[in-house]
Amino acid sequence: MQPKAKRRIVLVAEFSIHPIGMGTSVGRYVKAAVRAMSEIPGLTVDVTPMSSVLEAESIGTILEAVEVSHRALRSMGAKRISSSLRIDERLDKRRMMSDKIRGLERSTSPKS
């Protein structure tokens, strides 16, 4: 029997970033932001159609993701950038992003 994986206390954040005035198709900008965030140690990034969900053990790592994303868009010539960040920091229970998804799946599965 393998030892149970240690649960960490993590922060889960929803983050979206948009260059303003760069046209209607912003996929290349989002791709650059995600690429920049993927270089940050200790950060998990889950890209969804409307935003990215970030997971890290420290708020500093989450804020670093915001900073590098803005930097990536500035380096591409964006003159104005709008971003949105929501952070869920739960301190009373060791949980990861995957635990939240499993809990949701259990609560929505049909009863036998």
Side-chain angles (χ1 to χ4, degrees):
M1 180 180 209
Q2 292 184 346
K4 197 171 190 178
K6 182 179 179 187
R7 300 261 186 227
R8 305 176 321 235
I9 293 180
V10 298
L11 290 93
V12 177
E14 181 182 48
F15 176 62
S16 63
I17 187 164
H18 314 277
I20 297 175
M22 304 306 281
T24 56
S25 180
V26 296
R28 69 188 190 103
Y29 295 95
V30 172
K31 187 175 182 177
V34 170
R35 190 178 315 119
M37 287 188 291
S38 71
E39 300 293 320
I40 300 172
L43 180 72
T44 300
V45 180
D46 185 12
V47 179
T48 74
M50 296 292 291
S51 64
S52 294
V53 180
L54 313 177
E55 179 183 81
E57 291 188 36
S58 78
I59 198 164
T61 302
I62 299 291
L63 297 176
E64 181 182 357
V66 173
E67 185 176 0
V68 301
S69 296
H70 275 255
R71 190 178 313 132
L73 269 60
R74 284 194 306 267
S75 74
M76 296 175 73
K79 301 295 183 214
R80 187 172 183 184
I81 302 164
S82 174
S83 64
S84 176
L85 177 66
R86 287 186 333 139
I87 299 173
D88 178 0
E89 181 178 23
R90 185 165 181 177
L91 302 172
D92 65 331
K93 190 173 186 180
R94 295 184 181 279
R95 281 181 75 150
M96 295 171 51
M97 187 169 31
S98 57
D99 296 323
K100 294 179 83 154
I101 298 298
R102 275 194 300 278
L104 179 62
E105 289 169 348
R106 278 192 305 269
S107 69
T108 59
S109 32
K111 306 275 186 212
S112 302

